[in-house]
Amino acid sequence: MTQVRSAGDLGDVIRAERRRQGLTQAELAGLCGVGVTFLSQLENGKRTAEVEKVLDVLTMLGIDLFAERRG
């Protein structure tokens, strides 16, 4: 499990899984119904308020997102 503490961390996880699955950014964007620009910015850690789109990308890649209390 990878701890995500920033937009950059999340972008790294998404990029690594996309590449592991052999998808281009254009292919993944099409599957998720998001633009290539959005996906590129997401992978590069740009802060975004479009949480629903982020969740769509994670779902398409088969990545579950959990929130738990620290400590």
Side-chain angles (χ1 to χ4, degrees), residues 31-52:
L31 290 169
C32 298
V34 301
V36 175
T37 299
F38 173 81
L39 187 58
S40 175
Q41 291 173 345
L42 180 60
E43 287 188 1
N44 286 303
K46 182 174 180 184
R47 294 173 187 232
T48 180
E50 298 181 76
V51 175
E52 196 65 35

Side-chain angles (χ1 to χ4, degrees), residues 2-16 42-46 58:
T2 301
Q3 187 172 29
V4 174
R5 292 196 171 242
S6 70
D9 292 346
L10 184 58
D12 291 343
V13 168
I14 290 169
R15 180 184 301 108
L42 180 60
E43 287 188 1
N44 286 303
K46 182 174 180 184
L58 293 174

Side-chain angles (χ1 to χ4, degrees), residues 47-61:
R47 294 173 187 232
T48 180
E50 298 181 76
V51 175
E52 196 65 35
K53 285 185 181 181
V54 173
L55 294 174
D56 289 343
V57 171
L58 293 174
T59 298
M60 184 57 61
L61 288 172

